[in-house]
């Protein structure tokens, strides 16, 4: 009877990075379906919308169950194909190549992409008003989900 109430989950590899740069390779468990978009739940859904302070993860090396306090994560990385950029195919997105400097001095470079009305499409508009608490930065084959609470500044780079 209880099995019929369980939500099917899939195991997804991720890297959690703490302030100071310590990182752990983990597996998180994401639902096969997600409200608000087609396809399965994404790590960004879990970090931005879970309503839970702690999320379960399995340490990739030890297989120990860990409960991670989301607000204390500096960032989380997953394969880019697991965090598709959901942009309307008929709208040209705004893109900024950036370097993000975290409060502890860690830096990452990548691409921030979003769609906003032209009058409110500056990077500062996105970061202040539209970006979720963990905003995506595309780093080649990975997406870094960056915790806004741990960002010191975002610098635009010339392409």
């Amino acid at each position: 009877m209880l099995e019929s109430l369980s939500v099917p989950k899939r195991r997804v590899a991720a890297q959690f990075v703490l302030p100071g740069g310590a990182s752990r390779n983990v597996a998180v468990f994401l639902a096969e379906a997600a409200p608000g978009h087609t396809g399965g739940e994404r790590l960004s859904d879990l970090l931005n919308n879970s309503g839970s302070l702690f999320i379960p993860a399995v340490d990739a090396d030890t297989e120990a169950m860990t409960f991670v306090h989301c607000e204390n994560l500096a960032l989380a990385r997953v394969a880019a194909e697991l965090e598709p950029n959901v942009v309307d195919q008929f709208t040209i997105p705004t893109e900024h190549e950036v370097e993000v400097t975290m409060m502890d001095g860690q830096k990452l470079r990548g691409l921030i992409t979003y769609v906003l009305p032209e009058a409110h499409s500056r990077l500062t508009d996105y970061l202040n008003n539209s970006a979720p608490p963990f905003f995506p930065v595309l780093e080649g084959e990975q997406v870094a989900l960056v915790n806004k609470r741990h960002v010191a500044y975002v610098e635009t780079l010339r392409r």
Side-chain angles (χ1 to χ4, degrees):
M1 176 96 162
L2 288 177
E3 288 180 15
S4 66
L5 299 176
S6 68
V7 176
K9 301 269 183 168
R10 68 189 193 291
R11 186 175 173 139
V12 172
Q15 178 190 43
F16 286 167
V17 181
L18 300 173
S23 69
R24 291 179 80 179
N25 292 321
V26 298
V28 294
F29 300 94
L30 303 175
E32 292 293 335
H37 61 77
T38 59
E41 183 179 35
R42 301 177 189 136
L43 181 55
S44 59
D45 297 328
L46 187 63
L47 293 173
N48 288 317
N49 305 318
S50 72
S52 300
L53 286 176
F54 290 88
I55 58 170
V58 173
D59 185 283
D61 296 325
T62 66
E63 288 293 312
M65 180 58 77
T66 305
F67 297 91
V68 180
H69 193 281
C70 294
E71 291 179 7
N72 291 327
L73 281 176
L75 59 100
R77 286 188 175 97
V78 292
E81 68 264 11
L82 298 173
E83 283 288 332
N85 188 0
V86 183
V87 175
D88 180 344
Q89 63 181 346
F90 302 109
T91 306
I92 298 173
T94 301
E95 294 183 336
H96 294 279
E97 191 169 339
V98 298
E99 181 174 79
V100 179
T101 301
M102 307 303 283
M103 291 173 54
D104 63 7
Q106 292 181 74
K107 294 182 182 212
L108 60 138
R109 286 179 174 228
L111 193 64
I112 294 177
T113 304
Y114 54 89
V115 174
L116 290 174
E118 189 175 337
H120 302 284
S121 64
R122 299 173 304 166
L123 181 57
T124 188
D125 295 325
Y126 173 73
L127 292 170
N128 284 323
N129 303 318
S130 301
F134 283 83
F135 65 92
V137 176
L138 179 62
E139 301 177 298
E141 299 297 315
Q142 295 186 86
V143 171
L145 300 166
V146 180
N147 188 341
K148 283 203 266 190
R149 292 176 181 240
H150 292 272
V151 173
Y153 58 91
V154 177
E155 181 178 352
T156 58
L157 302 173
R158 296 181 194 262
R159 285 185 145 177

